[in-house]
Structures are given as C-alpha cells and as structure tokens.
Amino acid sequence: MDMFRRTFAEINLDHLAHNIQVLQKAFPKTPFLCPMVKANAYGHGDVQLALFLERLGIQHLGVCLIEEGLLLRSSGVKAEILVFRGFDREGAEKILEHGMTPVVTTWDQLSYLEEVAKSPVSIHLKFDTGMNRLGFHADEAQKLYDRLWQNKKIRLKALVTHLFNGEDAVDANGTSAEQLKKFHQISQVFKPFNIFSHALNSAGILSRMQMEQDGKPAQHPLFLQEWGLRPGLMIYGYNPLTNRSQAQLKHVMTLKSTVNTFRHLKAGETVSYGGTWKAPKESIIAVVPIGYADGYHRVLSNLGVALFAGHRVPVVGNVCMDYLMLDVTAAVQGRDLKALQDEEVILFGHDAHGNFLSPEELAQKAKSITWEMLTSVGERVPRVYVGQEAETLQGGGVK
Ligand SMILES: Cc1ncc(COP(=O)(O)O)c(C=O)c1O
C-alpha cells in the first residue's frame, strides 16, 4: 500500500479473533451470533473484517444499509447478511437479488417482499419494545402471526428487538429488563414457528456474562431464553459497562501518525487558526498530519491528548483539517529531535512503551461516545491489518 503520509489505523486481527473467542466461549449455546459490521465495521474496514470473521466461522453479519451489504457481497462475503435499516420496494428487490436477509419493520415491507419474491424469502421481524425508533408494536404480534403463518412467500426465521439502555441490563427492575420481558411475551405468540429471538447488544451481552459469573439469579429477564447476540462495540475491544472486571477484551484499533515537523516557539507565540493557544514559555510543538478531515474531532482543540515518545502530550491550538499540534516540550526535553522524527504519535490505542490512550477518554472530552470516535476515523486514513492472523490471511483478501 502506498502511504506517503504515515497516518493510519492499525487493526489487530488477533485481538478481534480473541474477542470473538471470548463470546463463543461464554455463549456456546447461543442460537445466533451476529457481529455488527455496519458503518465500515465501526471504522475498522468492513470488507476485510467481514472476510476475516467468516474465516473464524461467523455465519451471520449485521449491516445497516443495503449499500453496505452489497459491498460485502461484491467483495466475496458468503455469510448471511442481515440488513437492519428497512427498505422500499426497490430495496426489497436488491436485498433478495443478492441473497441478503431483510429485518422487516413495517407492514409495507412485508407487502414489498411478497410482491417481489420469486421463491420463499427468509426474514427477521423487528419489534419496538421501547427504543421508539423502528419495528412493530407488541399489540401487532397476533396479526403478524396470522399474516406469516403458512405464508407461501415469507419464512419467519427470528424475532428482533433492540435495547435502548443496555447498560442497565443487570438491574432486574431496569428498562432493559422491562424490554426483555415484553419481548419474551411477544415471542410466546410466535412459539409455533419454533424460531429464536435476538435482543442483546454489547451491554446486554456483557451484563449477562457478568451475571453468569456472579451466579445468575433465577428468573432474571437476561435468562428468560437463550437470546441471540448482536455484538458491536465489544468485538472491537470496548466494554460499555461501568463495571468491567469480567470480560478480558482486547482493543482492535490503534490510530497512529508521526511528526511532520517540530516548531520552536518563543513565549507568547500562538499556534494554529485563531491563535487560541499561547506558549507560556519557550515551547516545542509537534505538527502531526491528521485533522478533522480524518475524523479527529475539532472539538478536541486544546482538549485532546496523544501519546508521544512514552508521554501523554496535549493537543494545543485548533485542530485543522489536515493537522493537529501537540505541545511536546516536556516529552522531548534533552533529546535529539532528529532521532524523534520517526517516533509514532498515538491518537488512541497502544504505544510501543506500554501506554494506552483510550478513545473513551477522548470521547468524554469531546462530549461524545466511543462508538462515534471509532466510526469517525475517516475514509482517507488507510487501515493496516496486523497480527499473526493477518499474515495467514494475506492471500484471502485481508491486506
Ligand atoms: C440493531 C442493532 N443491534 C446491535 C447493535 C450493536 O450495539 P453495540 O455496539 O452497543 O454492541 C447496534 C448498534 O448500534 C444496533 O443498531
């Protein structure tokens, strides 16, 4: 890969494989394990990750857009691809033409599928149990049952719901527990179909793992049935729960760059557009070739931190489209700047000195969330796949 600017996202496939193993070990009986690879696999590169996940034995993958599914199919992904966003008539045609599985959220969508299906089509049916975004209401369950039972065109394979506050899932009186109870009742209506139901995102999954470890309390809604799993954030190495002792996840992405140039500032000189940072004393500034056009949030101007030469160093001045500046005065003290020219700058992730800078920390500073920090990493940032697993897959489309 030509890389004239050494700014890239390093994606460790061994770590991804590890996180998948954590899941497979914790849920040997799950009827459905569907890693979410929507939004460019949370910024990690959807085609490469989907192909890799397939090699790990993953049989289902979740995308939001039909377009995302089409890209995976045209790249050779054979696994079942679930399209979560809904669709119009034209979309129904595309989904079926490319052998994807629609997640149906409206009556119209059922009609579109019946109209365009040339052979029986498998669907998952989504219920809204509290998110108030997409899906049928509980009181439509019986009518849906009547429409789908022995339907010649449509085969119901699974029921879907989504937790809107999965972080409270261990609380038997929390909103997630309420949603799961409601969803369980809905699933009872469809019992003759002998299908499964999927509900758990990372927070739900990790909560269940935590409860299992603690000795599960009988009747907790997380254990009402063997819920199918749709992990997103956790396969990329992050745990959205505040109590995170239980799962040993490994971070998959490290966002890296190097120093473009060092600038020597006199006390009182300012940095970047608007001159929002003024050197309090003689300072050394590292100019780093990554900016908001690469997904480094401008709101982190004068707030962000990075790792450089084994130190945490602050982002100073406004983040530009293509650059940001770091005050490295303390980090480079007594060192030859020429020798530091090749030293990596870590925007988040692990450095070579054993330090870790979490995107969660940056998210907090940016008043954002880890999901947004990962998915923001821009299109023009190359993804470089590393790890033993990457080497064994070089011939298989993972480059
Ligand atoms: C329908 C659906 N399922 C599962 C997930 C995965 O969520 P998480 O990344 O919190 O695991 C998402 C993410 O937004 C989603 O929209």
Side-chain angles (χ1 to χ4, degrees):
M1 178 192 303
D2 284 338
M3 205 192 296
F4 303 105
R5 171 186 78 153
R6 283 196 294 132
T7 293
F8 60 98
E10 189 175 276
I11 311 294
N12 190 316
L13 293 180
D14 291 350
H15 289 186
L16 178 65
H18 166 88
N19 298 337
I20 294 292
Q21 271 164 19
V22 167
L23 271 165
Q24 288 168 330
K25 231 169 142 184
F27 295 90
K29 286 196 271 173
T30 187
F32 184 68
L33 172 56
C34 178
M36 299 303 280
V37 295
K38 60 180 179 161
N40 198 21
Y42 287 38
H44 295 67
D46 50 3
V47 169
Q48 291 84 350
L49 258 63
L51 289 167
F52 179 64
L53 288 166
E54 249 183 0
R55 302 267 183 122
L56 295 178
I58 293 295
Q59 292 166 9
H60 314 277
L61 295 166
V63 298
C64 177
L65 310 182
I66 296 171
E67 290 86 334
E68 292 174 329
L70 292 177
L71 175 65
L72 297 187
R73 275 284 179 266
S74 67
S75 309
V77 173
K78 302 275 183 306
E80 181 173 2
I81 297 174
L82 276 95
V83 179
F84 279 85
R85 199 197 68 87
F87 48 89
D88 56 14
R89 196 175 189 287
E90 208 184 324
E93 275 171 346
K94 273 282 174 241
I95 288 173
L96 300 190
E97 190 186 324
H98 293 273
M100 299 190 273
T101 304
V103 175
V104 173
T105 58
T106 67
W107 293 96
D108 279 348
Q109 288 168 11
L110 284 176
S111 302
Y112 299 143
L113 289 170
E114 283 173 332
E115 283 161 32
V116 303
K118 295 191 179 83
S119 54
V121 20
S122 296
I123 66 158
H124 291 209
L125 199 59
K126 185 160 188 173
F127 281 91
D128 186 351
T129 55
M131 176 84 170
N132 289 321
R133 186 174 67 173
L134 297 175
F136 295 97
H137 283 111
D139 58 14
E140 294 175 284
Q142 188 57 52
K143 226 171 115 195
L144 283 159
Y145 175 94
D146 295 340
R147 172 91 173 252
L148 296 173
W149 183 246
Q150 294 184 338
N151 188 305
K152 298 231 165 18
K153 292 276 184 75
I154 298 180
R155 292 206 176 127
L156 181 59
K157 290 286 178 192
L159 304 178
V160 186
T161 200
H162 192 43
L163 303 179
F164 69 89
N165 191 22
E167 286 73 5
D168 80 350
V170 289
D171 178 358
N173 299 311
T175 57
S176 302
E178 271 313 305
Q179 283 188 271
L180 291 174
K181 279 190 266 179
K182 197 170 183 180
F183 192 39
H184 182 65
Q185 275 175 0
I186 293 168
S187 74
Q188 297 309 298
V189 175
F190 292 87
K191 222 164 176 188
F193 279 92
N194 198 20
I195 54 178
F196 61 90
S197 304
H198 48 103
L200 304 187
N201 56 4
S202 296
I205 293 166
L206 289 158
S207 299
R208 218 195 95 134
M209 286 169 67
Q210 184 179 318
M211 294 189 76
E212 197 112 55
Q213 262 188 9
D214 297 348
K216 69 175 186 192
Q219 299 303 315
H220 189 286
L222 279 169
F223 295 87
L224 271 174
Q225 52 177 280
E226 201 59 55
W227 302 112
L229 315 174
R230 298 189 313 269
L233 193 70
M234 70 174 290
I235 67 165
Y236 305 108
Y238 295 93
N239 183 338
L241 302 180
T242 38
N243 170 4
R244 11 186 104 171
S245 53
Q246 75 293 356
Q248 301 303 318
L249 301 173
K250 293 188 177 178
H251 310 116
V252 177
M253 185 193 297
T254 292
L255 185 58
K256 294 185 170 183
S257 190
T258 45
V259 177
N260 208 94
T261 39
F262 291 105
R263 320 289 300 180
H264 295 262
L265 267 62
K266 295 195 191 85
E269 285 191 292
T270 64
V271 166
S272 190
Y273 292 115
T276 57
W277 186 83
K278 194 182 266 189
K281 56 182 172 103
E282 271 193 26
S283 303
I284 300 176
I285 300 302
V287 180
V288 182
I290 184 168
Y292 60 76
D294 301 297
Y296 196 93
H297 295 240
R298 188 173 180 276
V299 70
L300 290 170
S301 300
N302 292 309
L303 275 182
V305 281
L307 299 176
F308 179 69
H311 291 73
R312 280 168 65 94
V313 291
V315 172
V316 291
N318 283 344
V319 174
C320 310
M321 189 183 289
D322 309 309
Y323 301 98
L324 57 78
M325 272 62 88
L326 302 171
D327 177 7
V328 296
T329 315
V332 303
Q333 204 156 43
R335 299 187 62 177
D336 174 9
L337 289 186
K338 272 212 178 75
L340 288 171
Q341 202 74 52
D342 285 332
E343 183 78 18
E344 283 178 337
V345 175
I346 305 297
L347 287 318
F348 63 74
H350 296 267
D351 73 5
H353 307 274
N355 302 304
F356 174 62
L357 174 61
S358 171
E360 290 166 303
E361 179 185 339
L362 295 173
Q364 271 171 13
K365 289 181 195 295
K367 295 199 171 37
S368 179
I369 51 175
T370 315
W371 293 258
E372 192 183 14
M373 302 313 283
L374 297 176
T375 55
S376 296
V377 176
E379 227 174 282
R380 70 180 193 175
V381 175
R383 272 65 174 173
V384 175
Y385 296 89
V386 300
Q388 278 188 342
E389 297 279 5
E391 279 159 34
T392 60
L393 288 169
Q394 284 301 338
V398 178
K399 298 235 163 46

